[in-house]
Amino acid sequence: MTDSATPRKWERFTPAQRLARFGVFLSMAVLLAVSMRTVSVIPEFLWDAPTQMADLFRRMWPPDTASYAENVHDALVETMNIAGMGTMLALVMALPVGVMGASNIVRVPALNWLSKLILVSSRSVNTLVWAILFVAVFGPGALAGTVAIGFRSVGFCGKLLSEALEECDKGPIEALRAAGAPWPSIFLKGYWPQIAPAFWGITLFRWDINVRESAVIGLVGAGGIGVALDTALNLFRWQQVALILLCIFAVVIAAEVLVTKIRQRII
Amino acid sequence: MNDNSCKGNGGGAPRSLIVKDLVKEYVPGKPVLRGISFEVSGCTTVAIIGPSGTGKSTLLRCINRLIDPTRGSIDVAGHEMTHLSGGELRRARQQVGMVFQEFNLVERLTVIENVLCGRLGSVPVWRAWLRRYPQADIDRAFELIEQVGLADFATARADALSGGQRQRVGIARAVMQSPSIIMADEPTSSLDPKTSVEIMGLLNEFSRARGIPILINIHDVNLAKRFADRIIGMARGSVVFDGPPDELADEHLKDIYGGEGWLQ
Amino acid sequence: MSAHAAKRPFRPNWGARAGWVLLGIYCLYAVGTLEITWPRFLIGLDNGARFLSEMVPPNFQRWKLLLEGLFETMQIAVIASAFGVALSLPIGLAAARNLMPAWATWPARAVIAVCRSFHPVIFAILFVKAVGFGPLAGILTLIFASIGFIGKLFAEAIEEISLKPVEACRAAGAPFMSLLLYAVLPQVLNRFIGFATYQFDANMRNSTMVGIVGAGGIGGTLFSAFQRFDYDILAAILLSIIALIMCSEYVATRVKAVFND
């Protein structure tokens, strides 16, 4: 067929691609090696960890179920309220910011960037850090926790919301514009029906995450079951710690099951 | 076929469209429309034919300012469109009903609400939000849905309909605006031949019954000849033919579309 | 005409209405429990203003401490991601119900469920109690968090693959490892790289947090600055955390781009 002087070669990747991949792997390895060499870990502590953990669990058993009504129940309800209200607060703030970030609705690049900036800063700061900040502002309690959860969730909800808005079918929007509809009506009848399923999906998803998060923000004084956990830890009441952990586990699993069920019904 | 017995053209604003020297340049110096001029009035059906990419869609979208024209003037029922903005533009747009190739329905809303969307320009936002449309509008919407033959589907969701049914909803929505003119952008391109004929017939019917001129972008020359009272042929961004369908000869088509092999 | 007037254009959705009412009642109740009062709000505004004014300008004078903290945070994230990803591979595989028998999937799924249900901070607390303060506790914490997150996604990704190539390899008499290598891995590799880079990113964020309970990294510096009311240092730390996370997000996108073309 063809002259065999130059045998045809087949390669999955171009040399540049292979070089890039190799570079990535190499830098990962170097990064890992450097970290392992320099991190200040005392190996004895690591080898000792299993015995220590076993000891910890032995002291936790059996969970102190008697103290549920007295210490845990109210805190658990407060945790759920923080998660629920925090999610609501996040949605209220995420809707305008998300709309502002959707480049097909707001055609001002400066506003798009402002929205991106707000969303990224909200996501970059951890819930626990937000909680610290708001405890400083509002003092310890559920209010700080709610606002912290809200501020952390804005970034998440807003980002997904503006992505959903940007993926909207342009056709109906054009039709409503051609009918002379003012933009609030276009949003209500053109965009909203298209993003509604995504909106409820995002809400449920974030609420599920917020249930987990609101269980720990109490460690810095922002209300909820975390406060009870912190107290029990500081007093070395391990059996009470075990009870609280079990309660958190149960609530988190229940929330996840609930979200899965509602999701199946909506979609 | 085309009997010109106009009904319902009783008084009010002149139902007319005057386009003069319309130029549109997406990139400065490269005009897509090179000075289009024509006039339409009364209950005529005007078909605009021409190859794809010649600016037919741009022309229609310029007329109700979904696209801003570069130069020229557009007069819809006595309103000069090119200088308007904000609320005035929205009121002027209500004068122009538009039917789209891909129907452009809001798929997750019901048929009746899609038809009522045609009234969004004049219904206050809070009423639209709470679905408290004026009773007169609701009655008219039901009436129109019946006229396009979808009486049984009024409360079905738009994504449950077939292509032809969706286009019927699209037409009802355009007529719901009580427009002075209806424009249809390739209304039959997404439909099968039989449905296409039905949809064209429906558009013609509305034009006759309400005395509204209809402007249709269409690439199917035979459909255009069958339904239009007048044909405008566009090529390379200009009008190259304007006259009744029986004057449209093969040499015009050659000029419009280029080549001749396809004519046999 | 009159016949139409009787028709209802919109069917009232009683379920949805009841849902809205219930939601409204719940909101009123929940807001009530938050004890928002006007004086408290005013004090809050006052505190917030003072807080912000003390944060500006950020104080970068103790940059050495800051850099040390950031470096430790990175160490924790890198080591935890490496081990976490390496461990979640076999666990995720074991949890895939379409390839593995029930005796393998149940324990693997249980491990993943436990790792997922607890917030990393709770793991961090337990590990700090078990192995003492310092980055080791942070690393262990994030390894468990990674197993919970990627293990689940990886198992789901494997469960979604097409089984036809697997069947073909089996028919050719391939041993189990070749089966994985040739029939399973190619189908999930891209998504797996996506999960792994995302997890690195998440570990970076979380490692700034676990320090708050004493598990090493910049979080510890942050919390002590907060407790000593050094709000200008706090601002500096926050800014550097945001910068670090943005860098890692950028790197993660670039790495994904290398593997996706």
Side-chain angles (χ1 to χ4, degrees):
Chain A
M1 277 170 20
T2 49
D3 63 314
S4 53
T6 52
R8 281 194 284 182
K9 270 203 312 195
W10 176 80
E11 278 172 345
R12 172 114 159 64
F13 301 112
T14 65
Q17 277 177 325
R18 265 189 297 171
L19 196 67
R21 275 160 196 249
F22 180 70
V24 167
F25 282 124
L26 188 69
S27 37
M28 279 179 183
V30 168
L31 211 58
L32 182 62
V34 168
S35 302
M36 294 286 277
R37 287 293 296 275
T38 54
V39 75
S40 52
V41 166
I42 304 164
E44 285 75 28
F45 280 17
L46 180 60
W47 310 136
D48 198 28
T51 26
Q52 291 288 340
M53 290 301 283
D55 186 43
L56 201 60
F57 283 122
R58 207 168 316 119
R59 269 180 284 169
M60 280 184 174
W61 194 261
D64 176 17
T65 43
S67 66
Y68 176 81
E70 180 194 351
N71 287 328
V72 182
H73 181 77
D74 288 344
L76 212 53
V77 172
E78 193 176 53
T79 296
M80 298 308 286
N81 287 344
I82 293 174
M85 287 300 100
T87 311
M88 294 284 277
L89 180 67
L91 292 178
V92 168
M93 294 189 290
L95 211 53
V97 180
V99 170
M100 194 164 83
S103 55
N104 56 340
I105 300 181
V106 175
R107 291 170 198 279
V108 186
L111 287 180
N112 296 154
W113 274 103
L114 178 64
S115 154
K116 291 250 154 62
L117 188 72
I118 294 174
L119 297 180
V120 168
S121 0
S122 152
R123 274 180 295 139
S124 305
V125 179
N126 201 281
T127 313
L128 225 50
V129 178
W130 277 120
I132 289 177
L133 295 181
F134 284 109
V135 166
V137 171
F138 294 112
L143 178 61
T146 308
V147 180
I149 292 275
F151 270 65
R152 170 62 180 80
S153 311
V154 165
F156 179 91
C157 300
K159 178 170 184 258
L160 293 180
L161 213 55
S162 64
E163 278 169 8
L165 283 168
E166 281 178 348
E167 280 166 18
C168 272
D169 183 8
K170 286 195 300 269
I173 311 301
E174 196 185 22
L176 296 191
R177 278 215 302 147
W183 83 260
S185 296
I186 294 183
F187 184 81
L188 274 174
K189 298 293 168 184
Y191 286 108
W192 175 252
Q194 295 193 50
I195 62 163
F199 179 83
W200 295 118
I202 295 166
T203 306
L204 286 173
F205 189 25
R206 189 64 217 184
W207 179 73
D208 190 23
I209 297 174
N210 283 347
V211 169
R212 282 157 220 253
E213 303 229 297
S214 59
V216 298
I217 52 173
L219 294 171
V220 295
I225 189 115
V227 178
L229 181 64
D230 198 35
T231 316
L233 280 167
N234 287 337
L235 299 176
F236 300 106
R237 287 184 184 154
W238 292 108
Q239 299 183 337
Q240 210 167 326
V241 171
L243 171 73
I244 293 172
L245 291 184
L246 280 178
C247 288
I248 294 177
F249 186 70
V251 166
V252 165
I253 296 286
E256 188 165 335
V257 170
L258 184 71
V259 163
T260 320
K261 283 269 169 335
I262 298 181
R263 217 181 243 273
Q264 282 165 351
R265 282 198 55 188
I266 289 183
I267 299 162
Chain B
M1 190 81 218
N2 301 318
D3 72 304
N4 270 323
S5 57
C6 264
K7 281 172 269 172
N9 195 4
R15 297 187 156 169
S16 65
L17 165 72
I18 304 166
V19 176
K20 221 177 238 162
D21 302 322
L22 189 69
V23 176
K24 172 65 192 174
E25 299 171 344
Y26 286 106
V27 184
K30 288 188 177 169
V32 178
L33 302 176
R34 306 162 183 264
I36 305 274
S37 302
F38 62 91
E39 279 180 36
V40 180
S41 67
C43 63
T44 51
T45 301
V46 181
I48 304 178
I49 60 170
S52 358
T54 191
K56 291 179 303 193
S57 264
T58 304
L59 173 62
L60 287 202
R61 280 173 171 70
C62 277
I63 290 173
N64 69 355
R65 293 274 306 279
L66 286 176
I67 295 173
D68 283 327
T70 312
R71 275 193 298 283
S73 77
I74 299 153
D75 182 300
V76 176
H79 297 283
E80 174 58 45
M81 294 288 284
T82 44
H83 305 311
L84 301 179
S85 65
E88 284 181 319
L89 176 61
R90 281 193 279 107
R91 271 188 291 283
R93 273 181 183 158
Q94 289 164 38
Q95 298 293 312
V96 185
M98 190 132 176
V99 178
F100 298 86
Q101 175 180 352
E102 299 288 347
F103 328 127
N104 290 8
L105 302 182
V106 186
E107 307 227 320
R108 293 177 46 84
L109 295 182
T110 56
V111 166
I112 176 110
E113 192 152 22
N114 265 297
V115 174
L116 284 166
C117 275
R119 298 293 298 165
L120 281 184
S122 34
V123 171
V125 176
W126 67 270
R127 273 177 171 262
W129 182 40
L130 296 174
R131 302 188 163 166
R132 294 279 157 81
Y133 296 93
Q135 189 58 44
D137 284 352
I138 291 176
D139 291 340
R140 225 167 80 78
F142 271 118
E143 201 183 331
L144 279 171
I145 289 172
E146 217 154 274
Q147 280 175 25
V148 298
L150 292 175
D152 296 339
F153 296 91
T155 53
R157 249 169 62 160
D159 51 10
L161 302 184
S162 70
Q165 289 171 326
R166 287 181 200 208
Q167 193 59 294
R168 286 163 189 272
V169 179
I171 292 170
R173 176 175 64 189
V175 178
M176 189 72 201
Q177 285 175 232
S178 314
S180 304
I181 177 168
I182 289 181
M183 303 194 303
D185 185 19
E186 302 280 4
T188 60
S189 296
S190 306
L191 303 174
D192 64 68
K194 176 168 166 285
T195 319
S196 296
V197 171
E198 287 167 11
I199 290 293
M200 289 299 283
L202 195 64
L203 279 170
N204 249 7
E205 222 172 88
F206 274 116
S207 166
R208 304 266 177 277
R210 284 153 205 272
I212 315 174
I214 294 195
L215 210 59
I216 303 176
N217 269 351
I218 192 163
H219 62 238
D220 186 328
V221 179
N222 291 325
L223 266 185
K225 277 186 170 169
R226 181 165 162 197
F227 284 100
D229 306 311
R230 175 177 158 197
I231 287 182
I232 293 178
M234 274 180 70
R236 301 168 293 279
S238 311
V239 173
V240 294
F241 173 85
D242 190 347
D246 38 344
E247 280 176 26
L248 185 73
D250 277 1
E251 56 259 40
H252 295 123
L253 289 175
K254 235 183 283 171
D255 187 27
I256 293 169
Y257 289 96
E260 49 192 288
W262 62 277
L263 279 171
Q264 263 84 65
Chain C
M1 269 310 277
S2 55
H4 304 314
K7 277 190 220 162
R8 305 195 77 154
F10 307 112
R11 229 175 294 126
N13 185 344
W14 292 111
R17 283 184 197 179
W20 283 111
V21 170
L22 283 180
L23 189 66
I25 292 173
Y26 171 70
C27 283
L28 286 180
Y29 151 75
V31 169
T33 63
L34 291 181
E35 291 165 27
I36 303 171
T37 56
W38 187 243
R40 200 172 165 203
F41 182 70
L42 287 183
I43 295 171
L45 279 188
D46 205 37
N47 280 342
R50 213 176 37 212
F51 188 58
L52 281 179
S53 67
E54 277 177 37
M55 278 174 98
V56 187
N59 180 352
F60 283 98
Q61 272 169 353
R62 308 186 63 184
W63 55 272
K64 247 180 138 173
L65 201 68
L66 196 69
L67 277 186
E68 266 170 36
L70 285 178
F71 189 61
E72 195 169 64
T73 288
M74 259 180 57
Q75 289 172 332
I76 295 174
V78 167
I79 298 176
S81 303
F83 284 94
V85 168
L87 281 175
S88 52
L89 263 171
I91 294 181
L93 181 66
R97 278 174 295 203
N98 55 348
L99 291 183
M100 290 294 173
W103 57 261
T105 58
W106 274 108
R109 297 185 91 78
V111 168
I112 290 173
V114 170
C115 289
R116 260 168 56 76
S117 299
F118 288 110
H119 197 276
V121 169
I122 291 178
F123 276 118
I125 294 171
L126 294 180
F127 282 122
V128 166
K129 298 288 173 192
V131 301
F133 291 98
L136 178 59
I139 292 171
L140 290 174
T141 299
L142 294 182
I143 288 177
F144 275 79
S146 307
I147 291 174
F149 189 78
I150 333 190
K152 176 167 189 272
L153 289 178
F154 192 48
E156 280 171 4
I158 294 181
E159 282 175 0
E160 282 167 19
I161 63 169
S162 153
L163 281 177
K164 284 169 189 157
V166 178
E167 213 176 11
C169 280
R170 267 204 194 123
F176 189 69
M177 281 316 283
S178 329
L179 195 82
L180 290 184
L181 215 57
Y182 280 89
V184 178
L185 202 61
Q187 296 191 59
V188 294
L189 188 63
N190 255 0
R191 295 183 64 187
F192 187 66
I193 286 166
F195 302 150
T197 47
Y198 178 84
Q199 188 57 37
F200 174 70
D201 218 39
N203 280 345
M204 199 69 124
R205 286 160 205 266
N206 287 341
S207 62
T208 63
M209 171 187 69
V210 292
I212 291 173
V213 293
I218 188 98
T221 327
L222 179 89
F223 200 47
S224 54
F226 170 70
Q227 282 175 324
R228 280 184 276 113
F229 305 106
D230 290 336
Y231 292 143
D232 47 352
I233 298 182
L234 186 72
I237 296 174
L238 280 181
L239 286 178
S240 16
I241 289 177
I242 293 179
L244 181 70
I245 286 171
M246 283 182 170
C247 287
S248 82
E249 219 167 88
Y250 176 75
V251 171
T253 340
R254 291 303 297 264
V255 167
K256 246 186 280 185
V258 165
F259 285 97
N260 275 353
D261 53 20

